[in-house]
Structure formats: structure tokens, C-alpha cells
Amino acid sequence: VKNSSIEAIESALTKFTPRTITEVAVERKEEKILEKDAPKTGLPELDRIIKGFIPGHLYCVTGNTNVGKTSIACNFAERLRKQNKKTLYFALEPETTVVDYLASVRTEKEFSELTDKDIEFDDGAISIYGKNEISTLDDLVNAVESSKIRYDLIIVDHIGYFIQDKTNYIQEQSMAIKRLVGLAKKKRTAVLIIAHLRKRSTADKKDYIPTADDISGSGAFKQDSTDVMIVVRQNETNEPDSFVLSN
């Protein structure tokens, strides 16, 4: 074997040098400090389970179509606002209507009751990007990395917006999630992604309670998410003209 080949092998091996306990312990102590100040979800029962939105962690919210995924994400943003925490919301599916959701949560009004003053409320705690500013995952990552503000929670509504390759969507989605995990750790913020479920027949939807296995491309979500939260509301009926969801 040539000396140059040996040097190349030795160089490659140095990349896999393990860290000492001391090195890992330093990182862990820094994490524990951040965990103490982690914002709460604002839902006591949920906080007892997930201990709030811990910096460096990625969370997933999923559920059937129209079940309220954006609504609960806006609930989280509003509850963080009340804790004087900052949220960055990538409203890629709701776009401008996200201000209706946020105003409805804050005022406890129905959409039809909201006034212009309600939706214009802005105390600087929640910042929003839409499709006009963010069209790729690179755009999202660059926007977060270049920001001088440290956000306590970043919401991506929804992750499927960045998945363009329908043939290799599972691999592309897995890579996207791993990038977001890396971003959460690098910026020491919590990331919440909204994901869609695989399509089911109408007959299956009424009484079926989904699991993490029903997420489209579920493997990456289960592997890389700290927690997967599934929003469930009972369908009173599946008739198109009288479709009603429970509260």
C-alpha cells in the first residue's frame, strides 16, 4: 500500500474519534440549563408529558385533514406569547389566513366575528414567513441561520410543502427532517413541524384513531422527532353536506 493511501485511511479514521465523557457532560449541562427555561405548551396535561418545547428538539403535529393542526399550532404560538417567548411561524399552507387563526385564539372569537383591529394586533412576539419569502428548505434554513433573533419555537406549517420529488419523497422527507433537527440544535430552539397523514378511505375515517405509523413517510418522523402529537376530533358524520367535527 502506498504511503499516500495509508495517510488517506488514517485521515478518514480520525473523523470517527469518540468524545470523552467530560466533553459530552459539558454539552449536557448546557442543555439542562436551556431545558429549565423551555417554554410550556400552555396545555397542562401535555406539559406533564413532553415537559414543554425543549431547545434543540423537534416535535411533530399530525392528524386528519381539517382536524385542527394549524389551530393547535397557533394555540402554541399564542401561549408562548403570553410567556414572553418568541415564535417564528412558516405559514406555507395557511399563508395570510394564519393571522385569522392567531386572532381567533387570542380573542376567543369565531373567524366571522373578528375585526380588522383583531387581526392587526402585533406585539412583536410572533413573526411570520409565507410562500412569497420561502419557497425551498434552503430558504427556511438560511432565514433562521441569518436571523439575529433567537426564537423559542419555530413552526413549519407544513413539512410536505418542501417535498417535491414524488418518486423519492420518503428519502427527501427524511433528509428535510434531519436538516431541521440539525437547525434546532445549532440555533438552540425548538422546531415544531406539521405533517399530513396518508390518505384513507372515507369509510375508515369516522371511527379510526390514527397513529404515528399513519404519517406519510412515518419512519423519519418516529426516528427523529422527540415527540409526535396526534390531533384527534370525532366526526359526527361523514356526509359531505353535513360534515361536523366535535369540539
Side-chain angles (χ1 to χ4, degrees), residues 3 6 23 72 77 84 90 146 153 164 181 191 201 205 222 237:
N3 287 338
I6 294 174
E23 290 171 330
I72 199 166
N84 296 317
F90 288 91
S146 63
L153 179 65
Q164 305 298 326
V181 170
V191 174
S201 67
K205 288 182 179 179
K222 291 193 293 183
T237 174

Side-chain angles (χ1 to χ4, degrees), residues 195-207:
H196 289 179
L197 296 174
R198 285 193 292 265
K199 300 294 184 183
R200 300 182 66 85
S201 67
T202 302
D204 288 342
K205 288 182 179 179
K206 188 174 190 305
D207 299 314

Side-chain angles (χ1 to χ4, degrees), residues 128-236:
I128 300 169
Y129 276 112
K131 288 181 180 179
N132 289 336
E133 301 85 23
I134 304 296
S135 58
T136 67
L137 186 60
D138 285 337
D139 290 341
L140 184 154
V141 172
N142 290 335
V144 174
E145 289 187 338
S146 63
S147 175
K148 295 180 181 179
I149 300 172
R150 180 192 169 273
Y151 292 97
D152 299 280
L153 179 65
I154 295 173
I155 298 174
V156 182
D157 187 0
H158 61 96
I159 187 65
Y161 175 78
F162 297 117
I163 312 305
Q164 305 298 326
D165 188 345
K166 303 304 180 184
T167 304
N168 298 309
Y169 79 95
I170 293 179
Q171 180 180 359
E172 188 176 357
Q173 185 168 264
S174 177
M175 291 175 63
I177 293 171
K178 290 184 184 302
R179 285 193 70 184
L180 291 174
V181 170
L183 186 66
K185 292 183 180 300
K186 181 177 181 180
K187 299 297 289 187
R188 295 193 171 186
T189 183
V191 174
L192 175 74
I193 57 176
I194 293 179
H196 289 179
L197 296 174
R198 285 193 292 265
K199 300 294 184 183
R200 300 182 66 85
S201 67
T202 302
D204 288 342
K205 288 182 179 179
K206 188 174 190 305
D207 299 314
Y208 180 77
I209 297 178
T211 71
D213 292 329
D214 293 303
I215 305 174
S216 181
S218 62
F221 290 98
K222 291 193 293 183
Q223 179 179 341
D224 294 314
S225 298
T226 299
D227 289 289
V228 176
M229 294 171 269
I230 302 171
V231 184
V232 177
R233 294 170 70 186
Q234 295 300 316
N235 296 354
E236 303 297 340

Side-chain angles (χ1 to χ4, degrees), residues 64-79:
N64 288 320
T65 303
N66 295 325
V67 77
K69 297 184 291 294
T70 295
S71 293
I72 199 166
C74 287
N75 265 273
F76 291 146
E78 170 62 17
R79 288 161 193 266

Side-chain angles (χ1 to χ4, degrees), residues 100-119:
D100 295 340
Y101 285 90
L102 291 168
S104 177
V105 172
R106 191 186 71 257
T107 63
E108 298 185 4
K109 293 180 181 179
E110 298 287 340
F111 283 179
S112 60
E113 300 171 336
L114 294 173
T115 65
D116 288 345
K117 187 176 181 179
D118 290 331
I119 66 173

